[in-house]
Amino acid sequence: MKRLFFICVAMSLLLQGVSCSLNDDGPNFHFKPLQITSAELPDSFDLNETYQITVNYTIPDGCTGFGGFDVTKSDFTTRNVVIFGTVRTDQEACITLAQDAQASFSFICLYDEPYTFRFWQGEGADGEQEYFEVVVPVN
């Protein structure tokens, strides 16, 4: 019985010694805002209704993919919309051909005042964030 116990302990130690080790050199991607080129919104909103807002944006290269939306409230009815891409950092060569893409998000009209959507277009020469605005009235 002791012999079986020692064999089990030896096997356990052996398995721990040869177990997989993850090579954790940190994340292999980072987030980057992507330029929004246009947006499709309705002519007006109805209170308490949900709408799909479609956004056209540019993917700069083959190492960048869609990461998601960041829609923030900067004022009572003003929303800043940014699309974030995930940029792979573990690839040697990326195709630098920019391509257009499209994504959408749901929006619920909660207020009876016009909404202003500010869509991120990039950073200007002076370092300021640049947006184009679309105002949508509420019926």
Side-chain angles (χ1 to χ4, degrees):
M1 195 64 156
K2 284 184 179 180
R3 192 173 184 185
L4 182 61
F5 174 74
F6 286 117
I7 291 174
C8 288
V9 170
M11 291 296 287
S12 174
L13 291 174
L14 179 64
L15 288 175
Q16 285 180 353
V18 293
S19 65
C20 296
S21 67
L22 298 176
N23 185 6
D24 188 11
D25 293 333
N28 63 352
F29 68 93
H30 65 273
F31 294 106
K32 172 184 176 179
L34 302 178
Q35 181 186 28
I36 296 174
T37 55
S38 65
E40 300 168 16
L41 291 96
D43 293 332
S44 64
F45 291 140
D46 290 323
L47 192 60
N48 297 318
E49 293 294 321
T50 302
Y51 298 89
Q52 287 296 308
I53 297 177
T54 301
V55 178
N56 298 302
Y57 63 99
T58 302
I59 298 175
D61 57 46
C63 290
T64 304
F66 178 76
F69 283 96
D70 184 21
V71 181
T72 58
K73 180 178 178 178
S74 66
D75 199 5
F76 186 64
T77 58
T78 301
R79 303 294 182 267
N80 292 333
V81 180
V82 178
I83 290 182
F84 281 96
T86 54
V87 181
R88 302 257 331 244
T89 58
D90 61 348
Q91 295 187 356
E92 298 283 326
C94 294
I95 300 169
T96 57
L97 180 64
Q99 62 182 358
D100 295 329
Q102 193 174 70
S104 61
F105 64 93
S106 296
F107 175 77
I108 302 172
C109 178
L110 298 175
Y111 303 109
D112 60 358
E113 295 182 22
Y115 280 86
T116 301
F117 290 88
R118 300 177 69 228
F119 296 95
W120 190 83
Q121 286 192 292
E123 193 173 287
D126 57 357
E128 290 291 316
Q129 303 300 311
E130 295 180 349
Y131 297 86
F132 70 88
E133 293 185 0
V134 178
V135 177
V136 180
V138 176
N139 298 324

